[in-house]
Amino acid sequence: MSSQAQLLMLDRDAVAAVMTTDMIDRAVRDAFALHSARQGRVFPVVREALSTGGIFGIKSGDVAARALLGFKAAGFWPRNRELGGEPHQATIMLFDPATGRPRCIMDGNAITTARTAAAGELGLRILARADSTSVCVFGTGVQARAQLSAALRAFPSLRTVRYVSQDGRPKPDFEACFDGTCRPVLALDVDAAVAASDVVITATPGAGPLFSAAAVRPGTHLNCVGADTRGKRELPGSLLERCRLVVDDSEQARSLGETQWAPSVPHAELGDLLTGKCAFDRQADDVTVFDMTGLALQDLVVGEYLYDAANAARVGCLISWPW
């Protein structure tokens, strides 16, 4: 009955109680497959700078066959660090597409980190050389840590791990995250670090090119996370023109991602490689780039999995939401 309608609230702790790595991996693969089959829609992205110094965005979409509709409101507020908080903030909301009534509101911070890392891991497994043994990660924040962890899962053969910090100083907290797994070494010469790495991960705020194009040697794979807004970039000019480019969504990548700087470069979508819709035969000397802008479908499908798991486990807070 409409007078007995309820809304499920999942805060940070409730999400953590039901979210697993396996769940996120399955949901992200599911989202890419839906996107490839055009069974899920991705609506135009809102991404705007605020007078407060933050960036606010909305990613939304639907999957009609699964009665899935919703959005993620998220952005980046750098001044949060001064308050002892995380600059990335996200909230996901799911709706009943038949009535427009909200079903669930959930904290999206950990979800965003986990689904982006899962997408990065999938990109590595499909695109990077199987004999990769070295990685360089730009950034030491939450997403850089998640991406490096994903890379180590995808390639246990990664023995040499270098990182580049924003201020060029060692980050003991970052290094400590990988105790017992690897020993990240601070790279002071960024071009030399890139030239010596089979895999390069860029997970920074996207304020400009991080290294020179000449540093990228044949056979390198790059996972690029930071360019998610008009004007942002992490890669140097001319690099995309000599690589094999893969994106998560063509339109989004051209407007928000690294691809905005070379929109005419031919590219494929990762979902099409995953489903076999598009063939991909990597050659040993290919330079490959995965331009990750983040799909609304990833957030929604992960949200759907979490919503079902929370209901089954009776996790979260149900509040009356009559209409």
Side-chain angles (χ1 to χ4, degrees):
M1 298 290 292
S2 60
S3 62
Q4 298 173 334
Q6 293 181 309
L7 173 65
L8 179 62
M9 309 284 288
L10 300 177
D11 65 8
R12 177 195 63 187
D13 296 336
V15 168
V18 292
M19 187 171 71
T20 66
T21 299
D22 178 65
M23 174 195 291
I24 299 297
D25 289 345
R26 287 187 288 109
V28 168
R29 282 180 171 270
D30 194 3
F32 275 118
L34 287 167
H35 189 52
S36 176
R38 296 300 184 258
Q39 293 178 3
R41 293 189 298 171
V42 174
F43 303 153
V45 173
V46 173
R47 192 80 173 171
E48 299 294 339
L50 304 176
S51 61
T52 60
I55 296 175
F56 179 68
I58 297 175
K59 290 182 176 178
S60 57
D62 72 350
V63 183
R66 286 161 60 157
L68 182 58
L69 171 69
F71 67 81
K72 180 176 78 175
F76 185 74
W77 284 265
R79 294 177 185 171
N80 283 4
R81 291 193 179 98
E82 301 169 11
L83 304 173
E86 167 57 38
H88 291 92
Q89 292 295 314
T91 303
I92 294 172
M93 197 162 183
L94 303 180
F95 297 85
D96 177 359
T99 65
R101 297 293 296 172
R103 285 175 169 165
C104 183
I105 298 176
M106 62 185 75
D107 187 293
N109 289 354
I111 295 170
T112 300
T113 299
R115 65 83 156 150
T116 307
E121 182 176 351
L122 195 56
L124 286 172
R125 291 183 183 277
I126 295 174
L127 301 172
R129 292 191 348 256
D131 62 351
S132 296
T133 60
S134 55
V135 58
C136 179
V137 58
F138 285 79
T140 57
V142 171
Q143 191 52 237
R145 300 176 190 194
Q147 290 292 328
L148 179 54
S149 295
L152 293 168
R153 286 195 301 270
F155 289 96
S157 58
L158 291 174
R159 294 187 295 272
T160 303
V161 179
R162 302 176 180 87
Y163 73 96
V164 178
S165 65
Q166 186 175 15
D167 59 7
R169 297 177 181 177
K171 300 300 176 187
D173 289 349
F174 176 81
E175 295 176 16
C177 288
F178 301 95
D179 281 349
T181 305
C182 68
R183 290 188 175 181
V185 176
L186 178 67
L188 298 178
D189 185 331
V190 297
D191 278 1
V194 168
S197 299
D198 299 315
V199 172
V200 176
I201 298 168
T202 60
T204 74
L210 299 170
F211 48 85
S212 67
V216 181
R217 61 181 172 81
T220 304
H221 172 71
L222 300 95
N223 263 9
C224 304
V225 183
D228 59 0
T229 305
R230 290 186 302 274
K232 281 190 174 186
R233 71 184 309 174
E234 295 178 305
L235 299 184
S238 78
L239 179 60
L240 291 185
E241 284 82 355
R242 68 181 180 91
C243 77
R244 298 185 67 182
L245 177 61
V246 177
V247 304
D248 45 17
D249 178 81
S250 294
E251 184 175 344
Q252 213 168 268
R254 288 194 186 102
S255 62
L256 304 174
E258 290 292 341
T259 308
Q260 69 183 287
W261 303 103
S264 62
V265 170
H267 59 263
E269 290 189 349
L270 188 74
D272 290 344
L273 304 187
L274 178 65
T275 62
K277 188 175 179 179
C278 177
F280 185 85
D281 182 19
R282 192 195 208 287
Q283 301 302 307
D285 287 343
D286 286 340
V287 174
T288 52
V289 171
F290 181 27
D291 185 5
M292 302 168 58
T293 57
L295 292 180
L297 288 177
Q298 295 168 1
D299 299 310
L300 297 185
V301 175
V302 170
E304 178 188 41
Y305 279 43
L306 287 168
Y307 177 68
D308 291 343
N311 277 324
R314 297 185 181 277
V315 168
C317 177
L318 277 170
I319 64 173
S320 177
W321 202 263
W323 56 294

